[in-house]
Amino acid sequence: MAHLIDGKAVAARVRAEVKAEVERLKAERGIVPGLAVVRVGEDPASKVYVTGKKKAAEEVGFNSWEHHPDERITQDELLALVHKLNEDPAVHGILVQLPLPKHIDADVIISAVKPEKDADGFHPMNAGNLLLGRPATRACTPYGIMRLLEEIGCNPAGKRAVVVGRSNIVGKPMALMLLQKNATVTIAHSKSDVRREVEDADIVVVAVGVAELVKGEWIKPGAVVIDVGMNRNADGKLVGDVEFAKASERASYITPVPGGVGPMTIAMLIRNTLEAAARGGK
């Protein structure tokens, strides 16, 4: 049976590291990292996520603000709010919670955030620097996955890694981070023979939002399986994108759902904000 990768425990370690660094930053340079979160409207999932992010920020000693405009806010008004946060020296990280209302172009809003204050790592400049192998704020979920791999002693160098899913938030940056660590990387998607790709993989990262898409029998014996998905099956049970029970019989390590990747996303958001504060201080 596979060893479970305890994302809650690793995330707690990351937050403890950040808290210690916040105390040092405040003592040595008088800087308190500040995170501003913008949540537009009343999307229930967004409210849960933002509450968790704000709580984590306050626990490590950040200044934290939530801006909660009505869903009727215009794109220009939201851009004005982002610009105000860009110019506020107390704010080191800005997070605009997605999804946004349909009348607002999320790409325009994300691009309006200063790259150095982009806590999510979604800005085109940060994405481009990741592609080029330059220092950049990393997208939180794949950044957290890299930390999980490190925690279990999984060095991607020379291994065959398959990323199922090609989103800008997880799939593409995940592939690039694995490539930077010298893995041989394949991105599988809706037009791929996913089974064939997965069967040869030493590291499998699945992020597509389809319940139990990847079957346990596809997993190579001894592979490391990272499941980013979170779905409700026909019985209403929370499940990932991987058939967990059967995959656990073949994998060496596997993330549970929930309690695997999810806690790491918030932990790395906090780390990104700390790093932004340490770099600039403004």
Side-chain angles (χ1 to χ4, degrees):
M1 290 293 292
H3 297 281
L4 288 184
I5 305 174
D6 188 344
K8 288 183 180 179
V10 178
R13 282 197 287 277
V14 172
R15 291 196 303 272
E17 294 164 6
V18 169
K19 186 173 183 179
E21 292 178 46
V22 168
E23 291 169 357
R24 185 162 58 250
L25 194 62
K26 184 176 181 181
E28 294 177 359
R29 296 169 57 189
I31 296 171
V32 179
L35 175 65
V37 179
V38 179
R39 176 171 67 92
V40 179
E42 296 297 340
D43 181 80
S46 292
K47 184 175 183 179
V48 172
Y49 295 147
V50 166
T51 300
K53 290 166 183 175
K54 193 167 186 291
K55 180 182 177 183
E58 291 168 353
E59 282 178 354
V60 299
F62 284 11
N63 291 324
S64 177
W65 305 273
E66 180 184 350
H67 297 268
H68 183 205
D70 186 271
E71 65 182 7
R72 292 169 293 182
I73 190 173
T74 67
Q75 183 162 298
D76 286 344
E77 289 169 338
L78 186 54
L79 284 169
L81 173 57
V82 169
H83 178 71
K84 179 181 177 183
L85 297 174
N86 280 338
E87 300 308 312
D88 186 343
V91 174
H92 304 98
I94 300 170
L95 181 150
V96 180
Q97 182 66 45
L98 302 177
L100 292 171
K102 291 181 180 179
H103 66 279
I104 295 176
D105 188 332
D107 289 341
V108 171
I109 302 302
I110 290 168
S111 297
V113 176
K114 279 186 175 180
E116 58 269 30
K117 292 192 176 189
D118 166 33
D120 263 329
F122 294 166
H123 192 282
M125 185 174 291
N126 286 322
N129 281 331
L130 174 61
L131 175 66
L132 297 173
R134 297 173 180 171
T137 302
R138 303 299 197 230
C140 301
T141 299
Y143 192 16
I145 291 169
M146 295 306 293
R147 175 64 183 261
L148 291 178
L149 294 177
E150 181 184 324
E151 288 279 334
I152 63 171
C154 177
N155 180 0
K159 292 183 172 64
R160 184 160 190 273
V162 170
V163 179
V164 184
R166 53 180 167 181
S167 73
N168 294 331
I169 293 173
V170 181
K172 291 175 185 174
M174 185 78 256
L176 291 169
M177 290 182 205
L178 287 164
L179 188 61
Q180 283 187 346
K181 292 297 185 180
N182 300 310
T184 300
V185 184
T186 299
I187 299 179
H189 46 77
S190 59
K191 304 301 182 185
S192 304
D193 183 339
V194 177
R195 176 173 186 159
R196 186 179 67 185
E197 301 300 341
V198 167
E199 284 179 336
D200 291 331
D202 304 303
I203 300 170
V204 181
V205 181
V206 191
V208 290
V210 178
E212 300 182 327
L213 172 75
V214 172
K215 304 307 177 187
E217 65 189 38
W218 302 355
I219 301 301
K220 178 180 176 180
V224 173
V225 178
I226 307 291
D227 190 348
V228 184
M230 193 169 288
N231 319 280
R232 295 282 178 187
N233 66 11
D235 298 326
K237 182 183 177 183
L238 199 61
V239 297
D241 290 349
V242 177
E243 192 179 30
F244 179 82
K246 290 185 178 178
S248 298
E249 296 173 2
R250 299 172 66 86
S252 59
Y253 287 89
I254 191 169
T255 55
V257 175
V261 174
M264 294 302 297
T265 300
I266 293 178
M268 304 320 279
L269 170 78
I270 298 302
R271 173 152 287 287
N272 279 346
T273 303
L274 168 72
E275 292 172 356
R279 278 196 307 269
K282 294 184 180 180

